[in-house]
Short mmCIF file of all heavy atoms in Angstrom, two decimals:
data_model
loop_
_atom_site.label_atom_id
_atom_site.label_comp_id
_atom_site.label_asym_id
_atom_site.label_seq_id
_atom_site.Cartn_x
_atom_site.Cartn_y
_atom_site.Cartn_z
N ILE U 73 -0.99 25.97 -0.86
CA ILE U 73 -0.61 27.39 -0.85
C ILE U 73 -1.53 28.17 -1.80
O ILE U 73 -2.03 29.25 -1.46
CB ILE U 73 0.86 27.57 -1.26
CG1 ILE U 73 1.80 26.92 -0.24
CG2 ILE U 73 1.21 29.05 -1.41
CD1 ILE U 73 3.26 26.85 -0.69
N ASP U 74 -1.80 27.59 -2.95
CA ASP U 74 -2.65 28.26 -3.95
C ASP U 74 -4.06 28.48 -3.42
O ASP U 74 -4.71 29.47 -3.73
CB ASP U 74 -2.68 27.43 -5.24
CG ASP U 74 -3.07 28.27 -6.45
OD1 ASP U 74 -2.57 29.41 -6.59
OD2 ASP U 74 -3.88 27.79 -7.28
N GLU U 75 -4.54 27.53 -2.61
CA GLU U 75 -5.90 27.66 -2.06
C GLU U 75 -5.96 28.74 -0.99
O GLU U 75 -6.93 29.47 -0.90
CB GLU U 75 -6.36 26.33 -1.45
CG GLU U 75 -6.87 25.34 -2.49
CD GLU U 75 -7.21 23.97 -1.90
OE1 GLU U 75 -7.59 23.92 -0.72
OE2 GLU U 75 -7.06 22.98 -2.64
N ILE U 76 -4.94 28.80 -0.17
CA ILE U 76 -4.99 29.74 0.95
C ILE U 76 -4.58 31.16 0.54
O ILE U 76 -5.12 32.13 1.05
CB ILE U 76 -4.09 29.26 2.11
CG1 ILE U 76 -4.54 27.87 2.53
CG2 ILE U 76 -4.14 30.25 3.26
CD1 ILE U 76 -4.48 27.60 3.98
N TRP U 77 -3.64 31.28 -0.36
CA TRP U 77 -3.19 32.58 -0.84
C TRP U 77 -3.53 32.71 -2.32
O TRP U 77 -2.76 32.33 -3.18
CB TRP U 77 -1.68 32.74 -0.64
CG TRP U 77 -1.28 32.89 0.80
CD1 TRP U 77 -1.25 34.04 1.52
CD2 TRP U 77 -0.83 31.85 1.68
NE1 TRP U 77 -0.82 33.79 2.81
CE2 TRP U 77 -0.55 32.46 2.94
CE3 TRP U 77 -0.63 30.47 1.55
CZ2 TRP U 77 -0.09 31.74 4.04
CZ3 TRP U 77 -0.17 29.75 2.63
CH2 TRP U 77 0.10 30.38 3.87
N PRO U 78 -4.71 33.23 -2.63
CA PRO U 78 -5.18 33.20 -4.01
C PRO U 78 -4.53 34.22 -4.95
O PRO U 78 -4.76 34.14 -6.15
CB PRO U 78 -6.68 33.47 -3.90
CG PRO U 78 -6.87 34.09 -2.56
CD PRO U 78 -5.71 33.77 -1.70
N GLN U 79 -3.69 35.12 -4.45
CA GLN U 79 -3.06 36.08 -5.37
C GLN U 79 -2.12 35.32 -6.30
O GLN U 79 -1.50 34.34 -5.91
CB GLN U 79 -2.32 37.19 -4.61
CG GLN U 79 -1.08 36.75 -3.83
CD GLN U 79 -1.34 36.29 -2.42
OE1 GLN U 79 -2.44 35.80 -2.10
NE2 GLN U 79 -0.36 36.41 -1.55
N ASN U 80 -2.00 35.82 -7.54
CA ASN U 80 -1.22 35.11 -8.57
C ASN U 80 -1.60 33.63 -8.60
O ASN U 80 -0.79 32.75 -8.32
CB ASN U 80 0.29 35.25 -8.31
CG ASN U 80 0.74 36.69 -8.49
OD1 ASN U 80 0.05 37.50 -9.10
ND2 ASN U 80 1.88 37.03 -7.95
N PRO U 81 -2.85 33.35 -8.92
CA PRO U 81 -3.35 31.98 -8.85
C PRO U 81 -2.62 31.05 -9.82
O PRO U 81 -2.28 31.45 -10.93
CB PRO U 81 -4.83 32.11 -9.25
CG PRO U 81 -4.92 33.37 -10.00
CD PRO U 81 -3.87 34.29 -9.47
N LEU U 82 -2.38 29.83 -9.37
CA LEU U 82 -1.66 28.86 -10.20
C LEU U 82 -2.59 27.87 -10.89
O LEU U 82 -2.33 27.42 -12.01
CB LEU U 82 -0.66 28.08 -9.32
CG LEU U 82 0.44 28.93 -8.71
CD1 LEU U 82 1.29 28.08 -7.76
CD2 LEU U 82 1.33 29.53 -9.79
N LEU U 83 -3.68 27.53 -10.20
CA LEU U 83 -4.63 26.58 -10.78
C LEU U 83 -5.72 27.35 -11.50
O LEU U 83 -6.20 28.36 -10.98
CB LEU U 83 -5.29 25.73 -9.70
CG LEU U 83 -4.77 24.33 -9.43
CD1 LEU U 83 -5.57 23.69 -8.32
CD2 LEU U 83 -4.86 23.44 -10.66
N PRO U 84 -6.14 26.88 -12.68
CA PRO U 84 -7.26 27.54 -13.34
C PRO U 84 -8.53 27.40 -12.51
O PRO U 84 -8.62 26.47 -11.70
CB PRO U 84 -7.40 26.77 -14.67
CG PRO U 84 -6.33 25.77 -14.72
CD PRO U 84 -5.67 25.69 -13.40
N THR U 85 -9.52 28.27 -12.73
CA THR U 85 -10.76 28.17 -11.96
C THR U 85 -11.73 27.20 -12.62
O THR U 85 -12.52 26.55 -11.95
CB THR U 85 -11.45 29.54 -11.82
OG1 THR U 85 -11.29 30.24 -13.04
CG2 THR U 85 -10.83 30.34 -10.70
N HIS U 86 -11.66 27.09 -13.92
CA HIS U 86 -12.60 26.24 -14.66
C HIS U 86 -12.29 24.77 -14.39
O HIS U 86 -11.14 24.34 -14.53
CB HIS U 86 -12.45 26.56 -16.16
CG HIS U 86 -13.46 25.90 -17.02
ND1 HIS U 86 -13.25 24.66 -17.59
CD2 HIS U 86 -14.69 26.29 -17.42
CE1 HIS U 86 -14.30 24.33 -18.31
NE2 HIS U 86 -15.19 25.29 -18.22
N SER U 87 -13.31 24.00 -14.01
CA SER U 87 -13.10 22.62 -13.58
C SER U 87 -12.35 21.76 -14.59
O SER U 87 -11.48 20.98 -14.22
CB SER U 87 -14.45 21.93 -13.31
OG SER U 87 -15.18 22.65 -12.37
N TYR U 88 -12.69 21.91 -15.87
CA TYR U 88 -12.05 21.07 -16.87
C TYR U 88 -10.57 21.42 -17.03
O TYR U 88 -9.71 20.55 -17.07
CB TYR U 88 -12.76 21.15 -18.22
CG TYR U 88 -12.19 20.18 -19.23
CD1 TYR U 88 -12.42 18.81 -19.09
CD2 TYR U 88 -11.34 20.60 -20.24
CE1 TYR U 88 -11.86 17.89 -19.97
CE2 TYR U 88 -10.77 19.69 -21.13
CZ TYR U 88 -11.03 18.35 -20.98
OH TYR U 88 -10.45 17.44 -21.85
N HIS U 89 -10.29 22.72 -17.07
CA HIS U 89 -8.90 23.16 -17.20
C HIS U 89 -8.08 22.80 -15.97
O HIS U 89 -6.90 22.49 -16.06
CB HIS U 89 -8.83 24.67 -17.48
CG HIS U 89 -9.45 25.05 -18.78
ND1 HIS U 89 -10.22 26.17 -18.95
CD2 HIS U 89 -9.43 24.42 -19.99
CE1 HIS U 89 -10.64 26.22 -20.21
NE2 HIS U 89 -10.17 25.18 -20.86
N LYS U 90 -8.77 22.81 -14.82
CA LYS U 90 -8.12 22.40 -13.57
C LYS U 90 -7.68 20.94 -13.68
O LYS U 90 -6.56 20.57 -13.33
CB LYS U 90 -9.11 22.56 -12.42
CG LYS U 90 -8.48 22.86 -11.08
CD LYS U 90 -9.50 22.91 -9.98
CE LYS U 90 -10.06 24.29 -9.80
NZ LYS U 90 -10.85 24.41 -8.56
N ALA U 91 -8.59 20.09 -14.17
CA ALA U 91 -8.31 18.66 -14.31
C ALA U 91 -7.16 18.44 -15.30
O ALA U 91 -6.28 17.61 -15.07
CB ALA U 91 -9.56 17.91 -14.77
N LEU U 92 -7.16 19.22 -16.35
CA LEU U 92 -6.10 19.11 -17.36
C LEU U 92 -4.76 19.52 -16.76
O LEU U 92 -3.74 18.86 -16.96
CB LEU U 92 -6.45 20.05 -18.52
CG LEU U 92 -6.03 19.62 -19.91
CD1 LEU U 92 -6.60 18.27 -20.26
CD2 LEU U 92 -6.51 20.65 -20.93
N ALA U 93 -4.76 20.61 -15.99
CA ALA U 93 -3.53 21.08 -15.33
C ALA U 93 -3.00 19.99 -14.39
O ALA U 93 -1.80 19.69 -14.39
CB ALA U 93 -3.78 22.37 -14.57
N ARG U 94 -3.91 19.40 -13.62
CA ARG U 94 -3.50 18.35 -12.67
C ARG U 94 -2.94 17.15 -13.41
O ARG U 94 -1.99 16.50 -12.96
CB ARG U 94 -4.68 17.93 -11.80
CG ARG U 94 -5.01 18.94 -10.72
CD ARG U 94 -6.17 18.49 -9.88
NE ARG U 94 -6.38 19.40 -8.76
CZ ARG U 94 -7.57 19.72 -8.28
NH1 ARG U 94 -8.67 19.23 -8.83
NH2 ARG U 94 -7.67 20.54 -7.25
N PHE U 95 -3.48 16.84 -14.58
CA PHE U 95 -2.98 15.73 -15.39
C PHE U 95 -1.51 15.97 -15.74
O PHE U 95 -0.67 15.08 -15.60
CB PHE U 95 -3.82 15.59 -16.66
CG PHE U 95 -3.34 14.51 -17.58
CD1 PHE U 95 -3.78 13.20 -17.45
CD2 PHE U 95 -2.39 14.78 -18.58
CE1 PHE U 95 -3.32 12.19 -18.29
CE2 PHE U 95 -1.92 13.78 -19.42
CZ PHE U 95 -2.39 12.48 -19.27
N TRP U 96 -1.19 17.18 -16.18
CA TRP U 96 0.18 17.47 -16.59
C TRP U 96 1.12 17.60 -15.40
O TRP U 96 2.29 17.26 -15.49
CB TRP U 96 0.24 18.68 -17.54
CG TRP U 96 -0.35 18.28 -18.85
CD1 TRP U 96 -1.56 18.66 -19.37
CD2 TRP U 96 0.19 17.33 -19.80
NE1 TRP U 96 -1.80 18.02 -20.56
CE2 TRP U 96 -0.74 17.20 -20.86
CE3 TRP U 96 1.37 16.59 -19.85
CZ2 TRP U 96 -0.52 16.37 -21.96
CZ3 TRP U 96 1.59 15.75 -20.94
CH2 TRP U 96 0.66 15.66 -21.97
N VAL U 97 0.60 18.04 -14.27
CA VAL U 97 1.40 18.06 -13.04
C VAL U 97 1.81 16.63 -12.70
O VAL U 97 2.97 16.36 -12.38
CB VAL U 97 0.59 18.69 -11.87
CG1 VAL U 97 1.24 18.39 -10.53
CG2 VAL U 97 0.47 20.19 -12.07
N LYS U 98 0.86 15.71 -12.80
CA LYS U 98 1.17 14.30 -12.53
C LYS U 98 2.19 13.78 -13.53
O LYS U 98 3.09 13.03 -13.19
CB LYS U 98 -0.12 13.47 -12.59
CG LYS U 98 0.11 12.01 -12.21
CD LYS U 98 -1.20 11.28 -11.95
CE LYS U 98 -0.99 10.05 -11.09
NZ LYS U 98 -0.25 8.98 -11.77
N TYR U 99 2.06 14.21 -14.77
CA TYR U 99 2.99 13.77 -15.81
C TYR U 99 4.41 14.26 -15.51
O TYR U 99 5.38 13.55 -15.73
CB TYR U 99 2.54 14.23 -17.20
CG TYR U 99 3.20 13.43 -18.30
CD1 TYR U 99 2.76 12.12 -18.58
CD2 TYR U 99 4.28 13.93 -19.01
CE1 TYR U 99 3.38 11.37 -19.55
CE2 TYR U 99 4.91 13.16 -19.99
CZ TYR U 99 4.45 11.89 -20.25
OH TYR U 99 5.07 11.13 -21.22
N ALA U 100 4.51 15.47 -14.98
CA ALA U 100 5.82 16.00 -14.57
C ALA U 100 6.41 15.08 -13.50
O ALA U 100 7.59 14.72 -13.55
CB ALA U 100 5.71 17.42 -14.05
N ASP U 101 5.59 14.70 -12.54
CA ASP U 101 6.06 13.81 -11.48
C ASP U 101 6.51 12.47 -12.06
O ASP U 101 7.53 11.92 -11.65
CB ASP U 101 4.96 13.60 -10.43
CG ASP U 101 4.95 14.72 -9.40
OD1 ASP U 101 5.91 15.53 -9.38
OD2 ASP U 101 3.99 14.80 -8.61
N ASP U 102 5.77 11.93 -13.03
CA ASP U 102 6.15 10.67 -13.68
C ASP U 102 7.49 10.83 -14.40
O ASP U 102 8.31 9.91 -14.42
CB ASP U 102 5.10 10.23 -14.71
CG ASP U 102 3.78 9.85 -14.06
OD1 ASP U 102 3.76 9.63 -12.83
OD2 ASP U 102 2.76 9.78 -14.78
N THR U 103 7.72 11.99 -14.98
CA THR U 103 8.95 12.24 -15.73
C THR U 103 10.16 12.26 -14.80
O THR U 103 11.26 11.87 -15.18
CB THR U 103 8.85 13.55 -16.52
OG1 THR U 103 7.66 13.53 -17.31
CG2 THR U 103 10.04 13.74 -17.46
N PHE U 104 9.95 12.70 -13.56
CA PHE U 104 11.04 12.76 -12.60
C PHE U 104 11.70 11.42 -12.38
O PHE U 104 12.90 11.34 -12.13
CB PHE U 104 10.58 13.33 -11.26
CG PHE U 104 10.91 14.79 -11.10
CD1 PHE U 104 9.90 15.74 -11.06
CD2 PHE U 104 12.23 15.20 -11.00
CE1 PHE U 104 10.21 17.09 -10.93
CE2 PHE U 104 12.55 16.54 -10.88
CZ PHE U 104 11.53 17.49 -10.84
N SER U 105 10.92 10.32 -12.45
CA SER U 105 11.58 9.02 -12.22
C SER U 105 12.54 8.68 -13.35
O SER U 105 13.56 8.04 -13.12
CB SER U 105 10.60 7.88 -11.96
OG SER U 105 9.42 8.06 -12.66
N ALA U 106 12.23 9.14 -14.56
CA ALA U 106 13.18 8.94 -15.66
C ALA U 106 14.44 9.76 -15.42
O ALA U 106 15.56 9.31 -15.67
CB ALA U 106 12.53 9.34 -16.99
N VAL U 107 14.27 10.98 -14.89
CA VAL U 107 15.43 11.84 -14.59
C VAL U 107 16.27 11.22 -13.48
O VAL U 107 17.50 11.23 -13.54
CB VAL U 107 14.97 13.26 -14.20
CG1 VAL U 107 16.17 14.15 -13.88
CG2 VAL U 107 14.16 13.89 -15.31
N ALA U 108 15.60 10.64 -12.47
CA ALA U 108 16.33 9.99 -11.37
C ALA U 108 17.21 8.86 -11.91
O ALA U 108 18.33 8.68 -11.44
CB ALA U 108 15.35 9.46 -10.33
N SER U 109 16.70 8.11 -12.90
CA SER U 109 17.50 7.04 -13.49
C SER U 109 18.76 7.59 -14.13
O SER U 109 19.82 6.97 -14.06
CB SER U 109 16.72 6.29 -14.57
OG SER U 109 15.63 5.65 -14.01
N LEU U 110 18.64 8.78 -14.73
CA LEU U 110 19.82 9.39 -15.36
C LEU U 110 20.83 9.81 -14.29
O LEU U 110 22.03 9.59 -14.44
CB LEU U 110 19.41 10.60 -16.21
CG LEU U 110 20.57 11.31 -16.92
CD1 LEU U 110 21.31 10.37 -17.86
CD2 LEU U 110 20.08 12.53 -17.69
N VAL U 111 20.32 10.38 -13.21
CA VAL U 111 21.21 10.82 -12.13
C VAL U 111 21.99 9.63 -11.58
O VAL U 111 23.18 9.72 -11.29
CB VAL U 111 20.41 11.51 -11.00
CG1 VAL U 111 21.28 11.82 -9.80
CG2 VAL U 111 19.77 12.79 -11.51
N ARG U 112 21.31 8.47 -11.50
CA ARG U 112 21.92 7.27 -10.91
C ARG U 112 22.78 6.50 -11.92
O ARG U 112 23.51 5.60 -11.52
CB ARG U 112 20.82 6.31 -10.45
CG ARG U 112 20.21 6.59 -9.11
CD ARG U 112 19.40 5.39 -8.64
NE ARG U 112 18.43 4.95 -9.62
CZ ARG U 112 17.16 5.31 -9.63
NH1 ARG U 112 16.70 6.12 -8.72
NH2 ARG U 112 16.34 4.88 -10.56
N SER U 113 22.70 6.81 -13.20
CA SER U 113 23.33 5.97 -14.23
C SER U 113 24.84 5.94 -14.06
O SER U 113 25.49 6.97 -13.91
CB SER U 113 22.96 6.48 -15.62
OG SER U 113 23.45 7.77 -15.83
N SER U 114 25.39 4.73 -14.07
CA SER U 114 26.82 4.61 -13.78
C SER U 114 27.66 4.32 -15.02
O SER U 114 28.87 4.34 -14.97
CB SER U 114 27.06 3.53 -12.73
OG SER U 114 26.51 2.33 -13.20
N ASN U 115 27.03 4.04 -16.15
CA ASN U 115 27.84 3.81 -17.35
C ASN U 115 27.12 4.33 -18.59
O ASN U 115 25.97 4.75 -18.51
CB ASN U 115 28.16 2.32 -17.50
CG ASN U 115 26.90 1.48 -17.66
OD1 ASN U 115 26.01 1.80 -18.45
ND2 ASN U 115 26.80 0.43 -16.89
N GLY U 116 27.82 4.27 -19.72
CA GLY U 116 27.29 4.82 -20.98
C GLY U 116 25.96 4.23 -21.37
O GLY U 116 25.04 4.94 -21.79
N GLU U 117 25.84 2.89 -21.22
CA GLU U 117 24.61 2.22 -21.65
C GLU U 117 23.42 2.66 -20.80
O GLU U 117 22.35 2.97 -21.31
CB GLU U 117 24.79 0.72 -21.55
CG GLU U 117 23.78 -0.05 -22.39
CD GLU U 117 23.80 -1.54 -22.07
OE1 GLU U 117 24.89 -2.10 -22.00
OE2 GLU U 117 22.70 -2.10 -21.88
N GLU U 118 23.63 2.69 -19.49
CA GLU U 118 22.56 3.12 -18.57
C GLU U 118 22.16 4.56 -18.86
O GLU U 118 20.98 4.91 -18.84
CB GLU U 118 23.04 3.03 -17.12
CG GLU U 118 22.86 1.66 -16.50
CD GLU U 118 23.35 1.60 -15.06
OE1 GLU U 118 23.43 2.65 -14.39
OE2 GLU U 118 23.66 0.49 -14.61
N GLN U 119 23.19 5.36 -19.15
CA GLN U 119 22.95 6.78 -19.40
C GLN U 119 22.09 6.96 -20.65
O GLN U 119 21.12 7.69 -20.66
CB GLN U 119 24.30 7.46 -19.61
CG GLN U 119 24.28 8.92 -19.27
CD GLN U 119 25.69 9.50 -19.31
OE1 GLN U 119 26.12 9.99 -20.34
NE2 GLN U 119 26.37 9.45 -18.19
N GLU U 120 22.46 6.20 -21.70
CA GLU U 120 21.71 6.29 -22.95
C GLU U 120 20.27 5.88 -22.78
O GLU U 120 19.36 6.54 -23.27
CB GLU U 120 22.35 5.36 -23.99
CG GLU U 120 23.24 6.08 -24.99
CD GLU U 120 23.85 5.10 -25.99
OE1 GLU U 120 23.09 4.36 -26.65
OE2 GLU U 120 25.09 5.08 -26.07
N LYS U 121 20.07 4.79 -22.05
CA LYS U 121 18.72 4.28 -21.81
C LYS U 121 17.89 5.32 -21.07
O LYS U 121 16.73 5.56 -21.39
CB LYS U 121 18.79 3.03 -20.93
CG LYS U 121 18.71 1.72 -21.66
CD LYS U 121 18.83 0.57 -20.69
CE LYS U 121 17.88 -0.55 -21.04
NZ LYS U 121 18.17 -1.73 -20.20
#
Side-chain angles (χ1 to χ4, degrees):
Chain U
I73 295 171
D74 201 44
E75 279 174 30
I76 303 218
W77 289 275
Q79 68 272 28
N80 293 342
L82 297 174
L83 261 180
T85 38
H86 187 269
S87 304
Y88 186 72
H89 296 139
K90 209 184 271 191
L92 213 57
R94 284 180 174 143
F95 177 88
W96 290 107
V97 165
K98 184 166 202 291
Y99 199 76
D101 276 349
D102 293 344
T103 308
F104 261 113
S105 32
V107 179
S109 296
L110 181 59
V111 173
R112 278 194 307 264
S113 63
S114 57
N115 61 48
E117 200 191 313
E118 274 180 23
Q119 206 172 91
E120 259 179 56
K121 261 178 140 171

